[in-house]
Amino acid sequence: MASYLLHSAIGMVQAQPDCPANVPAAEAPEWRRKKRLMLESLPADRFPMMVAFGATYARAPDTERYFSFCIDLVMAAVESMAPGSQRP
């Protein structure tokens, strides 16, 4: 279990919702703008979900919400696997 929790924590940090770690904070708004435009320029008839997803880059993500949700998700999985849980 500890190994899964460790890998979940590492994955959360590596895949955090924002610019790659090598993008300086001052350049983040421009990076997000370019990412949004790239996604929104895809053919909407072929990639409607990706085009819609592009709008999420219009502003900086709520990283507190992201990490909170990830931790809740992992902990819910752990609790559901615990002895005595109502797991089917």
Side-chain angles (χ1 to χ4, degrees), residues 16-19 28 32 56-66:
Q16 62 184 327
D18 203 3
C19 305
R32 282 192 293 275
T56 66
Y57 285 95
R59 60 184 169 7
D62 182 348
T63 54
E64 182 69 30
R65 183 174 178 227
Y66 167 81

Side-chain angles (χ1 to χ4, degrees), residues 4-5 8 12-13 16 18 22-23 25 30 32-33 35 41 43 49 57 63 66 69 72-73 75-77 87-88:
Y4 286 106
L5 291 172
S8 295
M12 263 188 272
V13 172
Q16 62 184 327
D18 203 3
N22 64 340
V23 175
E30 180 62 13
R32 282 192 293 275
R33 186 187 73 79
K35 184 76 166 184
S41 70
M49 298 302 287
Y57 285 95
T63 54
Y66 167 81
F69 178 80
D72 289 347
L73 185 64
M75 293 312 299
R87 184 175 151 222

Side-chain angles (χ1 to χ4, degrees), residues 33-55:
R33 186 187 73 79
K34 288 179 180 177
K35 184 76 166 184
R36 180 181 54 82
L37 292 174
M38 187 271 302
L39 290 168
E40 290 176 345
S41 70
L42 292 170
D45 59 327
R46 291 186 57 209
F47 305 104
M49 298 302 287
M50 293 300 290
V51 171
F53 179 66

